[in-house]
Amino acid sequence: MTEGFSWQCPFCGRPVTLLDQNLSTSSHHLSIKNQHGDQRLDTLFMVCPNEECREFVLKASLEGGAWRTHPGGGREWDGSTVDKQRWDLVPQSNAQVWPDYVPRQIREDYQEACAIRALSPKASAALSRRCLQGMIRDFFGIRKDTLKQEIDTLREKVGPGVWDAIDGVRRVGNVGAHMEKHVNLIIPLDSDEANVMIGLLEELAQLWYVDRHNRELRITAMTKLAEEKDEARQGQNDANAEGSP
């Protein structure tokens, strides 16, 4: 690889370009006789090139396969992509790092929903539902007996498309949070579907928390700038008044 590829660091959140010097890979092959056959474990370190960050990400993958011998000599690993297992080790998921002004409990629910989405999509959905309820209660100050009542109250405060998506998180999250009336009735939920819910949480965190924080910073900066200009103008007026005959 020479040109690199675009990547967003999960720690600093900045889009960067990763080059060869930012990557470190290694492979370990298990050829000892076992119940699963030959295995290959791949590890990948990715270091953020942003000098203010320099955090590393560590990923691992395990796949079964076999060594193929070429007619002219030499061997090549022929891996299987069907049963390949993947892990995010550092950080333990692809969760964004939300800023500290997002309440801690909301951040923890979001991070846990991300960490468990592959292992248990239903549990991830339930955590996403809980995270959403925390955001509604914190940001809008809405508290009712049920999440449905809280979301119904929220209807007039957000756009119809956003409201439909928010209520969708509640309804899908119910699959993981509540057992069906008939115990033998199982509603399937996969990791991609759990990921859709997580994506909406990220959109809402940006819309409700990050955008508000940035707006407050801009307002504060503009107010300070106006005050500084008023003081400078007043100082010049005072100096001119003193210099007048």
Side-chain angles (χ1 to χ4, degrees), residues 29-34 36-40 63-67 75 77:
H29 290 88
L30 173 64
S31 299
I32 302 173
K33 185 177 180 180
N34 65 89
H36 304 283
D38 289 352
Q39 303 285 315
R40 186 178 78 175
E63 65 177 5
W67 288 102
R75 297 194 306 166
W77 174 258

Side-chain angles (χ1 to χ4, degrees), residues 73-159:
R75 297 194 306 166
E76 181 180 15
W77 174 258
D78 184 8
S80 169
T81 58
V82 178
D83 298 325
K84 192 168 186 176
Q85 301 179 66
R86 296 178 175 85
W87 298 275
D88 294 307
L89 301 178
V90 180
Q92 292 185 348
S93 73
N94 289 326
Q96 298 176 354
V97 180
W98 287 359
D100 291 342
Y101 50 78
V102 178
R104 178 180 176 182
Q105 187 59 60
I106 293 174
R107 286 184 278 127
E108 289 182 353
D109 286 344
Y110 161 73
Q111 290 166 359
E112 289 181 24
C114 292
I116 204 171
R117 60 184 155 190
L119 180 63
S120 177
K122 288 184 179 180
S124 177
L127 283 164
S128 291
R129 181 185 183 278
R130 172 186 162 101
C131 180
L132 173 66
Q133 185 168 31
M135 294 169 77
I136 292 173
R137 289 182 170 184
D138 174 71
F139 191 84
F140 293 97
I142 298 175
R143 282 183 174 271
K144 301 291 183 181
D145 293 336
T146 67
L147 176 57
K148 183 180 186 308
Q149 293 174 352
E150 293 171 351
I151 292 177
D152 287 343
T153 305
L154 186 66
R155 183 188 288 270
E156 304 301 325
K157 300 179 183 294
V158 298

Side-chain angles (χ1 to χ4, degrees), residues 140-197:
F140 293 97
I142 298 175
R143 282 183 174 271
K144 301 291 183 181
D145 293 336
T146 67
L147 176 57
K148 183 180 186 308
Q149 293 174 352
E150 293 171 351
I151 292 177
D152 287 343
T153 305
L154 186 66
R155 183 188 288 270
E156 304 301 325
K157 300 179 183 294
V158 298
V162 174
W163 187 89
D164 289 339
I166 289 173
D167 192 53
V169 171
R170 176 191 67 83
R171 287 183 284 129
V172 176
N174 285 344
V175 173
H178 305 297
M179 182 175 290
E180 299 296 328
K181 292 181 180 180
H182 299 286
V183 177
N184 292 329
L185 177 60
I186 299 176
I187 307 299
L189 189 69
D190 62 36
S191 59
D192 288 338
E193 292 166 335
N195 201 44
V196 172
M197 301 176 67

Side-chain angles (χ1 to χ4, degrees), residues 189-222:
L189 189 69
D190 62 36
S191 59
D192 288 338
E193 292 166 335
N195 201 44
V196 172
M197 301 176 67
I198 290 171
L200 178 65
L201 295 179
E202 294 170 348
E203 292 285 345
L204 294 178
Q206 177 70 38
L207 179 65
W208 291 348
Y209 288 97
V210 178
D211 288 353
R212 179 182 65 175
H213 178 75
N214 291 339
R215 182 169 60 253
E216 291 173 348
L217 290 179
R218 291 193 296 268
I219 291 173
T220 300
M222 189 66 248

